[in-house]
Amino acid sequence: MNSGYDLSSSTYSPDGRIFQVEYANKAVENSGTAIGLRVKDGVVLALEKLVHSKLLVPGTNRRIQTVDRHIGIATAGLLADGRHLASRAFDESLNYRETYRSEPPLSAIAERLGLYVQAYTLYSSVRPFGISAILGAVDKDGPALYVVEPSGIYYGYNGAAVGKGRQLAKTELEKLKLSELTTREAVFEAARIMHLVHDDSKDKEFELELSWIGAETNGLHLPVPKDLFEEADKKGRDALDADMED
Amino acid sequence: MDHFPGTHWGKPRNDNIDAYGTYPLHAHQPRTDAFADGVQRTQQPVVTGASVLALKYKDGIMMAADNLASYGSLARFKDIQRASGDMADFQQLKHILDTLLIEQFVQDDGHKFGPTEIYEYLSRLMYGRRSKMDPLWNSLLVGGFKDGKSFLGYVDLLGTTYSAPTLRNWVWRYIAQPLLRKSVEGREDTLTEEEAVKILEGCMKVLFYRDARSLNKYQIAAVTEKGIWISDSRSVETEWAFAEGIRGYGAQTQ
Amino acid sequence: MSPISQPTSVAFNPYAENGGTILAIAGLDFAVVAGDTRQSEGYSIQTRYAPKVFRLTDKATLAVNGFAADGNIFVKTVKQRLEWYRHAHAKDMPLRAIARLIQTMLYAKRFFPYYVYNILGGIEEDGSGAVYSFDPVGSYEREACRAAGAASSLIQPFLDNQIYFKNQVAVSGTSHPKHLPILDVLSLVTDSFTSATERHIEVGDGLEIYVIVASGRSLTELSSIAGIEEVTGSASATDRVFVIRRELKKD
């Protein structure tokens, strides 16, 4: 069908596309949703981790990872690729510190990761990353949010969504006045959106992952504490039930 | 171009080895440094930082340090370090330790370094550097509190280590250590916070009178179960009027 | 006068001398290894309690003396090698093998030596008490007794006289004993250290005496010693290790 133009990312199709990169995007589209909110005084990352087996220990295989004290990463797509990219981001962050002896701004890390991911679209010997990564941080310029895609392209966002439920999530994010929300309020919105976009009838069960960076965490990227998590999780679930009754 | 992940793919580029990223790593000849013979390692410290006193008391450990040179403190979790010696080496030390702590933070596995782990790491670091004949020119006091136990340890540029109820560094050993030992030894478990502060204040006063290098301005820090507490800069009341009456030294005219 | 100018600054000296003294005496079926606990540099006492004698296995203890940083790292490395041996062979390394290991490790740093004198004491595979002494670069021999460190020149002649009976003539028709009873040995150790404390400024504060006893030997004499503490590592060990702690003068 694609006449062999999709076998390597080092070959263009006649109309100038690189099919391997597009297939990588498919891997992202089929995975659980991840969202990021850049608000007034912080950043919130949320992720829908689809649980493929009841035998898995809850809370293990976290998909939101920490890159530096102030930087978090949520990935949608192939979990192993997400792990590798987070590890690379960590190395880059230490390398930045080694060179400049200061906390890396998220823009620098996003740029380096963009270059790195792009390199995997150039050669026949490798496959592109099957992930989109949402990076969140509070750095010297305040809250920051970036998405790195399989092509290596990266943009800064106020609100970002990747994975299966991204369309609905984006619609919900657009309704919010992100620049006026506090980080704590954003935790509740994030939990609500994750419950909203999860398709109970089609999808497997999911585990919600929530992390935040803001004044309340002292600028550190940390998982949302248990009590707040449970409150936000419950409210998100209740909002969904109320919605259904309407 | 290197088409194969596993050599330099997955590692940040190192400009010292391959500034333009042109060769696969296995094809590298390590560059010999034409100036290698001229490279000098620290032979003596350039800037000397603060001097430090420390003691154990009932609730944990307490330290005092003067503000003579600008110096840094490290405060992570429930332990602190104070150091004196070469400021550049101290900043390097701080950077290495900070990197270690970030590594641990991103791991997010629930493990945390306590004062003993930090102390062991620093000791190995200092000994490793002296064994390379490239020492970090500092003496360090590590104090902390974890699981109901207080810890106080010393390590210097030779990698020499020891623990004791009272510690101090450099010239202060001749003046402050006897004072500290007299008031602390054998009473580590009963000394109250007020008594500990009083002892340190007393030492600081004597030091300011007798040690030309210390400044009449210092800070006190305590590490207990509750965490770290660092005081504002304070000074001791000193009285110099008696100097008028002293004869036989200096340039008196009569 | 040489026309070549001499360097004026002194290069970094990676060594220090941290005082203290150690000694070990081998009995027929036991060994005693002791050291004071003072650590000093110049005229300053750094700490009154820095152990110099370490239990390696249930049949071996090691005393290190000299440059404390080297000594501590050396002991840690020996312990690590013994643990690896345990993982590979499911038993403790025999004493004479530990002795050879130590010589290899010391000589490996022949051109940047560990500035430490080592004395290894314990029980051999044949059940006899043994003492091995080393110089900093690995030369070693098995002996009946050895003193090392700051006050070695005070203690060694005393031991030569009391253990080897040098300069003593046995009453005609009798001979000097080959091995001394354990309580006599412990008295000699205590006397050695109290005397060294009097006459050497770098010796004092505390005394730690390790006693390694071969399996099958009666422990009745030991049980009479005040404050003796058993520090045998494994419950199934046949040889046993004890430690006796004593105060020394602190001035």
Side-chain angles (χ1 to χ4, degrees):
Chain A
M1 184 181 79
N2 289 308
S3 319
Y5 293 118
D6 64 347
L7 296 178
S8 158
S9 54
S10 67
T11 307
Y12 283 110
S13 78
D15 51 355
R17 294 157 63 186
I18 297 165
F19 285 117
Q20 280 294 324
V21 172
E22 295 184 19
Y23 297 157
N25 278 308
K26 292 281 179 209
V28 179
E29 283 170 26
N30 292 330
S31 96
T33 317
I35 63 171
L37 292 80
R38 173 181 176 269
V39 295
K40 191 167 62 181
D41 57 355
V43 171
V44 173
L45 298 177
L47 189 139
E48 169 201 29
K49 186 171 73 193
L50 299 175
V51 182
H52 63 272
S53 163
K54 284 196 188 310
L55 297 175
L56 285 170
V57 178
T60 57
N61 296 310
R62 286 181 59 87
R63 294 196 65 148
I64 297 181
Q65 297 164 83
T66 305
V67 168
D68 200 327
R69 285 205 181 92
H70 62 302
I71 305 176
I73 185 171
T75 57
L78 304 177
L79 176 59
D81 286 18
R83 286 274 156 72
H84 177 75
L85 196 71
S87 144
R88 173 70 182 204
F90 168 69
D91 288 349
E92 292 291 357
S93 201
L94 285 193
N95 177 264
Y96 185 98
R97 283 176 180 270
E98 211 60 54
T99 312
Y100 301 107
R101 294 289 155 112
S102 61
E103 214 168 58
L106 189 61
S107 57
I109 299 304
E111 180 182 335
R112 290 181 182 203
L113 287 186
L115 287 169
Y116 183 64
V117 169
Q118 191 269 345
Y120 280 76
T121 68
L122 293 171
Y123 307 105
S124 57
S125 54
V126 293
R127 68 170 169 77
F129 278 87
I131 49 165
S132 276
I134 304 179
L135 291 152
V138 176
D139 58 31
K140 66 176 183 4
D141 305 314
L145 189 71
Y146 285 84
V147 176
V148 184
E149 295 175 18
S151 63
I153 208 163
Y154 69 97
Y155 292 115
Y157 291 91
N158 286 315
V162 294
K164 204 176 276 187
R166 70 192 174 288
Q167 289 303 351
L168 184 51
K170 279 181 191 170
T171 314
E172 288 299 313
L173 286 168
E174 280 170 18
K175 289 184 202 164
L176 299 172
K177 290 193 167 122
L178 288 167
S179 60
E180 291 168 22
L181 287 183
T182 65
T183 314
R184 185 171 273 268
E185 287 165 342
V187 167
F188 287 92
E189 295 297 345
R192 182 182 62 77
I193 294 173
M194 294 316 294
H195 279 289
L196 183 70
V197 302
H198 178 73
D199 194 338
D200 258 338
S201 57
K202 271 203 283 178
D203 284 335
K204 302 170 195 116
E205 278 192 33
F206 82 108
E207 225 177 76
L208 179 63
E209 280 186 31
L210 282 172
S211 75
W212 60 341
I213 314 158
E216 286 193 67
T217 71
N218 238 330
L220 301 177
H221 176 248
L222 293 172
V224 168
K226 201 161 172 267
D227 50 344
L228 178 59
F229 179 94
E230 273 159 15
E231 195 186 344
D233 190 34
K234 185 173 181 308
K235 264 198 171 167
R237 214 183 294 254
D238 292 348
L240 186 63
D241 294 342
D243 235 26
M244 303 264 251
E245 281 160 28
D246 290 343
Chain B
M1 260 303 165
D2 180 10
H3 295 240
F4 301 99
T7 50
H8 72 260
W9 287 50
K11 292 187 184 73
R13 212 180 66 200
N14 186 339
D15 285 352
N16 293 324
I17 296 171
D18 184 10
Y20 301 99
T22 30
Y23 298 106
L25 274 191
H26 57 80
H28 270 290
Q29 292 295 318
R31 270 198 308 194
T32 50
D33 184 352
F35 294 96
D37 292 342
V39 172
Q40 283 205 355
R41 266 76 75 98
T42 309
Q43 297 290 319
Q44 49 188 299
V46 179
V47 184
T48 51
S51 300
V52 192
L53 297 174
L55 59 81
K56 276 190 179 182
Y57 72 107
K58 183 165 69 76
D59 307 321
I61 67 109
M62 198 177 279
M63 288 184 180
D66 73 10
N67 299 354
L68 189 57
S70 67
Y71 58 89
S73 71
L74 291 170
R76 297 270 181 267
F77 308 118
K78 284 189 174 176
D79 54 87
I80 59 175
Q81 294 85 42
R82 280 290 158 114
S84 77
D86 189 283
M87 278 308 290
D89 282 353
F90 179 61
Q91 284 170 358
Q92 175 69 9
L93 203 76
K94 239 168 56 153
H95 175 73
I96 292 169
L97 200 53
D98 200 38
T99 306
L100 179 81
L101 292 170
I102 291 170
E103 241 166 73
Q104 184 213 233
F105 180 77
V106 304
Q107 226 71 51
D108 195 23
D109 55 9
H111 288 287
K112 273 184 180 162
F113 293 124
T116 46
E117 288 82 13
I118 297 279
Y119 178 62
E120 185 67 27
Y121 182 86
L122 288 172
S123 306
R124 292 287 180 133
L125 183 71
M126 297 297 275
Y127 182 78
R129 288 291 295 261
R130 89 96 216 188
S131 297
K132 282 200 270 179
M133 289 299 275
D134 187 13
L136 291 166
W137 214 287
N138 304 104
S139 60
L140 314 171
L141 295 180
V142 179
F145 197 89
K146 201 186 179 195
D147 302 332
K149 280 203 189 91
S150 62
F151 175 86
L152 197 54
Y154 169 97
V155 57
D156 64 15
L157 76 168
L158 292 174
T160 311
T161 55
Y162 50 89
S163 291
T166 65
L167 293 174
R168 73 292 157 277
N169 55 19
W170 296 135
V171 295
W172 293 28
R173 63 179 166 237
Y174 300 117
I175 303 167
Q177 184 71 304
L179 292 170
L180 279 173
R181 283 202 179 129
K182 204 172 155 195
S183 10
V184 179
E185 255 176 24
R187 302 213 299 137
E188 302 92 296
D189 301 328
T190 50
L191 272 184
T192 64
E193 185 166 309
E194 293 72 41
E195 287 174 308
V197 171
K198 255 211 177 98
I199 290 167
L200 287 178
E201 277 174 351
C203 288
M204 296 310 287
K205 182 178 271 192
V206 175
L207 284 164
F208 178 53
Y209 276 127
R210 313 288 320 212
D211 177 9
R213 284 209 300 176
S214 68
L215 184 76
N216 188 23
K217 232 177 166 196
Y218 64 96
Q219 279 175 294
I220 285 181
V223 193
T224 64
E225 198 148 34
K226 284 176 262 168
I228 302 168
W229 162 82
I230 297 174
S231 78
D232 292 334
S233 260
R234 48 173 83 181
S235 54
V236 282
E237 289 290 313
T238 46
E239 168 60 64
W240 293 97
F242 65 87
E244 289 292 310
I246 295 176
R247 290 292 174 271
Y249 299 98
Q252 289 101 9
T253 49
Q254 52 181 64
Chain C
M1 267 283 267
S2 159
I4 301 159
S5 62
Q6 297 296 310
T8 47
S9 69
V10 184
F12 166 66
N13 176 200
Y15 293 113
E17 180 69 63
N18 298 109
T21 261
I22 51 172
L23 76 78
I25 299 168
L28 179 66
D29 50 5
F30 67 89
V32 174
V33 183
D36 70 328
T37 64
R38 175 176 292 182
Q39 188 177 114
S40 58
E41 191 172 9
Y43 290 133
S44 303
I45 297 169
Q46 291 180 319
T47 180
R48 298 196 194 280
Y49 186 68
K52 282 193 274 289
V53 190
F54 303 89
R55 191 186 67 84
L56 297 178
T57 67
D58 287 327
K59 50 182 94 248
T61 58
L62 181 64
V64 287
N65 194 215
F67 174 35
D70 272 350
N72 289 325
I73 292 282
F74 185 73
V75 169
K76 276 180 188 164
T77 321
V78 170
K79 281 184 172 174
Q80 188 178 49
R81 292 290 295 268
L82 293 179
E83 189 174 329
W84 289 348
Y85 183 95
R86 226 161 11 241
H87 291 320
H89 300 106
K91 64 168 190 144
D92 282 333
M93 191 186 280
L95 192 72
R96 63 188 186 89
I98 299 176
R100 175 59 69 89
L101 172 72
I102 288 172
Q103 103 90 196
T104 312
M105 289 174 61
L106 289 170
Y107 193 79
K109 275 175 64 67
R110 172 62 181 79
F111 299 108
F112 187 14
Y114 288 115
Y115 199 62
V116 284
Y117 287 87
N118 282 282
I119 302 177
L120 177 69
I123 306 296
E124 293 280 22
E125 280 171 306
D126 66 4
S128 61
V131 163
Y132 289 89
S133 67
F134 301 78
D135 82 353
V137 288
S139 169
Y140 78 115
E141 71 178 309
R142 187 178 165 179
E143 296 178 290
C145 73
R146 171 61 66 182
S152 62
S153 56
L154 279 65
I155 296 175
Q156 189 65 52
F158 174 65
L159 295 181
D160 287 344
N161 180 251
Q162 291 294 309
I163 307 280
Y164 291 123
F165 298 102
K166 294 280 167 67
N167 297 307
Q168 283 193 266
V169 181
V171 176
S172 62
T174 67
S175 64
H176 294 305
K178 268 202 101 128
H179 294 286
L180 293 179
I182 197 163
L183 291 179
D184 290 13
V185 168
L186 289 171
S187 299
L188 287 176
V189 170
T190 319
D191 289 352
S192 297
F193 276 95
T194 46
S195 310
T197 302
E198 290 294 336
R199 284 293 187 175
H200 200 118
I201 56 166
E202 291 170 2
V203 180
D205 290 336
L207 172 60
E208 279 187 334
I209 309 168
Y210 278 73
V211 186
I212 312 97
V213 179
S215 59
R217 190 188 197 283
S218 154
L219 299 170
T220 42
E221 295 146 295
L222 286 181
S223 60
S224 67
I225 297 166
I228 192 167
E229 184 195 339
E230 179 158 8
V231 289
T232 313
S234 101
S236 61
T238 49
D239 302 323
R240 297 167 74 175
V241 190
F242 297 85
V243 62
I244 302 161
R245 296 195 171 84
R246 292 286 179 269
E247 293 285 304
L248 289 174
K249 285 170 77 175
K250 302 193 186 311
D251 52 8

